[in-house]
Amino acid sequence: MPEGGDVKARILAVAAQLFMEQGYAATSVREIGERASVGQSSLYHHVRSKGHLLYELHHAFSRDLIERLTSVIESESSPTDQLRAVIRVVLGVVESHQAEVTVFLREGHALPEGPRADIQRERDQVDALVDKVIMDGIEAGELRKDLDVRLTRLGILGLTNWAYQWFRPGGERTSAEIADYFADMIINGVAAR
């Protein structure tokens, strides 16, 4: 958790942790302020409401993921290597930002309608980036031509995203080892024969 000067970052980190531990609905703004060691007036100076906190967490997380995936796509790597990198990115984020991933995947329903539409557009961008990697792999002849791109993406993201439920840093395998295992399993299933 950020210390000292960056009060807003500290508030967001605490909110993510509490939303992960207790759920969004069961967490109060007062609890967030107390755990972040921020008075209520200072808390409301940095964030308008609990709903605004949830939106900011979703937005920051999705923007970071979009940037990471865009870097993968802009690399000079082959589509198959890009697909491996996508899997590594998602599992690496699960490891390094477990609270934020949990909130992103579990609490989106609590966003108000307008912010929910904004976040859905960002989620659609993530999907489009993964779809591009798959389509590029098909066009390059590295992936099977009969793949359903959407269904393949849903399978990949379903497999990797679900790790937020069971992955724990310091466990039997690192996120990189799990990513490589998943990548081998996925690529063996989608590679051109």
Side-chain angles (χ1 to χ4, degrees):
M1 176 169 58
E3 296 294 327
D6 197 347
V7 175
K8 187 167 185 177
R10 191 168 73 237
I11 292 167
L12 287 169
V14 165
Q17 191 65 37
L18 285 170
F19 293 165
M20 179 182 77
E21 291 170 4
Q22 303 174 172
Y24 172 77
T27 301
S28 72
V29 174
R30 179 175 298 281
E31 284 178 285
I32 294 167
E34 287 172 359
R35 187 162 313 169
S37 301
V38 176
Q40 293 299 300
S41 62
S42 180
L43 181 67
Y44 283 109
H45 171 74
H46 292 285
V47 291
R48 295 188 298 263
S49 64
K50 188 170 85 165
H52 185 246
L53 272 172
L54 184 62
Y55 170 76
E56 288 211 16
L57 286 168
H58 273 79
H59 179 65
F61 177 78
S62 59
R63 295 310 315 158
D64 179 60
L65 187 57
I66 289 166
E67 285 177 25
R68 291 173 191 241
L69 293 174
T70 299
S71 291
V72 167
I73 287 172
E74 290 174 349
S75 73
E76 296 296 319
S77 303
S78 71
T80 301
D81 287 341
Q82 287 181 8
L83 186 56
R84 283 184 181 284
V86 164
I87 294 164
R88 284 189 195 111
V89 163
V90 174
L91 282 160
V93 168
V94 166
E95 179 176 30
S96 63
H97 295 83
Q98 194 161 29
E100 292 87 347
V101 171
T102 301
V103 171
F104 186 77
L105 294 173
R106 195 177 66 195
E107 301 292 350
H109 67 279
L111 288 163
E113 190 174 318
R116 187 179 320 134
D118 289 345
I119 298 303
Q120 186 57 55
R121 280 189 289 278
E122 292 173 354
R123 287 176 179 237
D124 292 345
Q125 281 182 275
V126 169
D127 291 348
L129 291 167
V130 177
D131 286 353
K132 180 174 177 7
V133 171
I134 297 165
M135 289 184 294
D136 288 351
I138 293 168
E139 286 178 25
E142 294 178 24
L143 302 182
R144 292 185 358 228
K145 297 216 178 288
D146 65 336
L147 289 179
D148 178 318
V149 173
R150 178 180 176 274
L151 196 54
T152 303
R153 180 216 340 124
L154 289 170
I156 291 167
L157 292 179
L159 179 67
T160 54
N161 283 339
W162 190 251
Y164 90 93
Q165 286 282 347
W166 51 264
F167 177 79
R168 296 296 173 263
E172 184 178 319
R173 293 181 186 221
T174 67
S175 66
E177 290 170 331
I178 295 167
D180 288 342
Y181 184 88
F182 282 0
D184 286 344
M185 186 171 65
I186 291 165
I187 290 167
N188 284 333
V190 300
R193 301 281 184 253

